Amino acid sequence: MELSFSIQTYEWGKIGLDSKVAQLVEAAGGTVDKDKNYAELWLGTHPSGPSSILSQCSRSENLESWIKNNPHCLGTDVISQFGEKLPFLLKVLSVDKALSIQMHPSKEQAVKLHREFPDIYKDENHKPELAIALSKFEALCGFKPLERIKKNIEETKELQAVIGESLVKSMVSCMNIEVFKEIFHAIMSAPQAQVEKQLCLLNETIHRTDCIECMACSDNVIRAGLTPKFKDIATL
């Protein structure tokens, strides 16, 4: 069974055939725009990028519709736990710039956010995920110990420029949870122009990478920064 895929052209994606996503598009017979960002390739049933079953004999059929008509393909274990729906979304990512600072909602949060803000949170699912690196890959999850945070700030002049000299001095003198809260607030509330200026410098040190992700069938992301998209600071 051959499936179509969807492409997401987010601005952080690699450009043209430098992108693993674009290479897959070309390998599948598609046309690649050498000036376009190719960030993600999706395979699944999510409404923001649904796959179809390709056939030379007949018109292609939406994968979700096909599964509804052939639920046995999922197997009894999947159906008993998730119902007659494909429970995951597969992605290929080609990263050229730092991805957004973000968190993924729990199932309970996702239902509430989708109900209250359906234009932003497109589905009711949580978003647990795993990633397989295809090249050197670095990801940050949660917060590092305070001493590691202090060391990183001391070694990163771009962060110091955003935080401000006074807070940096406080940190050097005595790094504790209260100082860290002030630092976090300073970063999150810094003027956009100031952050963008320092990010342009910092992005030069970020690894450009490719990976495969598998997650629940969701595109719910609560963003905090490093993105032109809506930043939901209140929910965070």
Side-chain angles (χ1 to χ4, degrees):
M1 180 186 295
E2 185 178 357
L3 298 177
S4 68
F5 49 75
S6 296
I7 300 300
Q8 307 294 347
T9 56
Y10 307 136
E11 58 87 27
W12 51 258
K14 291 183 181 179
I15 297 174
L17 285 172
D18 190 36
S19 166
K20 182 68 69 177
V21 171
Q23 293 169 24
L24 291 170
V25 170
E26 186 177 65
T31 301
V32 172
D33 184 338
K34 65 181 179 63
D35 299 318
K36 193 173 186 178
N37 298 86
Y38 289 85
E40 295 185 352
L41 179 152
W42 290 18
L43 277 171
T45 59
H46 194 278
S48 294
S51 295
S52 295
I53 298 171
L54 302 179
S55 172
Q56 295 179 344
C57 302
S58 61
R59 188 173 57 184
S60 62
E61 182 178 0
N62 180 275
L63 179 59
E64 184 174 22
S65 298
W66 188 88
I67 290 174
K68 285 181 180 179
N69 294 327
N70 301 274
H72 61 276
C73 72
L74 298 172
T76 55
D77 290 343
V78 170
I79 292 174
S80 65
Q81 185 170 354
F82 302 104
E84 296 181 352
K85 295 181 179 180
L86 188 68
F88 66 87
L89 175 62
L90 183 72
K91 295 183 181 181
V92 178
L93 274 65
S94 286
V95 181
D96 190 54
K97 302 176 184 177
L99 274 65
S100 62
I101 300 171
Q102 59 182 250
M103 66 166 285
H104 297 166
S106 65
K107 176 65 175 176
E108 184 180 61
Q109 286 176 313
V111 170
K112 182 175 183 292
L113 289 170
H114 177 64
R115 182 176 63 249
E116 295 177 353
F117 310 105
D119 292 339
I120 300 171
Y121 302 101
K122 305 291 187 180
D123 57 76
E124 296 183 340
N125 288 330
H126 57 342
K127 199 167 178 274
E129 61 184 33
L130 59 85
I132 301 172
L134 300 178
S135 55
K136 185 172 182 179
F137 188 91
E138 292 185 8
L140 303 178
C141 181
F143 294 105
K144 293 183 177 182
L146 292 180
E147 284 305 311
R148 290 283 302 280
I149 293 174
K150 177 183 176 182
K151 185 173 185 295
N152 284 347
I153 293 174
E154 289 174 335
E155 295 175 349
T156 310
K157 61 182 183 299
E158 294 86 359
L159 278 173
Q160 295 176 28
V162 174
I163 293 167
E165 184 178 354
S166 176
L167 263 181
V168 172
K169 287 182 177 179
S170 296
M171 177 198 74
V172 171
S173 174
C174 180
M175 180 58 153
N176 56 42
I177 191 64
E178 295 305 319
V179 173
F180 171 66
K181 288 179 180 178
E182 290 185 51
I183 290 171
F184 184 77
H185 178 74
I187 293 173
M188 298 307 298
S189 59
Q192 183 172 338
Q194 182 186 15
V195 174
E196 288 178 350
K197 178 182 177 181
Q198 298 306 320
L199 277 177
C200 286
L201 301 173
L202 190 58
N203 264 333
E204 295 178 2
T205 67
I206 292 172
H207 293 293
R208 303 167 70 248
T209 188
D210 302 281
C211 73
I212 296 173
E213 286 188 344
C214 188
M215 64 203 68
C217 187
S218 174
D219 195 34
N220 285 327
V221 175
I222 304 171
R223 296 178 179 86
L226 303 187
T227 177
K229 298 180 181 179
F230 173 70
K231 293 176 277 291
D232 196 349
I233 305 299
T235 297
L236 285 171

